[in-house]
Amino acid sequence: MPDAIVDTGASWTTIPTAMADDLGLPVIGKQCVNTANGTVEVEHRFARVEYADKVSVADVLVSDGYPGVLLGALTLEGMALADDPKNKRLVDLELLLL
């Protein structure tokens, strides 16, 4: 996956349609989501996501509302990462199994 903007206000990661199609990610369903412009229906797919030495599979939404990749909170948590906005980086997060 190319560079991404971390968007902790978004639940899921969002990628553009052309990228999802280029990666061959199959559509597994549709999701209604709320955006700044109202509610829209978008495709739901899965993608393999890598960052540094971490690899995960994440739900992704496909939307052309933003031309790049928005990395959502659930993807970050699934990879045991958190944002450090002060230092503009991602840091390891302690995984809890309770």
Side-chain angles (χ1 to χ4, degrees):
M1 196 177 269
D3 290 341
I5 292 177
V6 174
D7 184 356
T8 58
S11 299
W12 287 6
T13 293
T14 304
I15 64 174
T17 304
M19 181 182 297
D21 292 343
D22 287 348
L23 292 171
L25 305 178
V27 177
I28 61 169
K30 301 270 187 175
Q31 290 286 339
C32 286
V33 296
N34 294 319
T35 71
N37 297 322
T39 301
V40 296
E41 185 177 74
V42 296
E43 293 177 345
H44 175 195
R45 305 185 190 200
F46 285 113
R48 183 174 191 258
V49 181
E50 297 180 27
Y51 176 79
D53 62 342
K54 297 182 182 274
V55 178
S56 185
V57 176
D59 291 286
V60 295
L61 299 179
V62 179
S63 171
D64 292 320
Y66 174 75
V69 175
L70 295 175
L71 192 63
L74 294 176
T75 302
L76 287 174
E77 289 179 15
M79 296 180 75
L81 293 169
D83 69 318
D84 175 2
K86 181 178 179 183
N87 296 304
K88 297 182 180 180
R89 63 188 181 122
L90 295 176
V91 295
D92 289 332
L93 180 67
E94 180 182 11
L95 282 178
L96 301 174
L97 180 62
L98 304 173

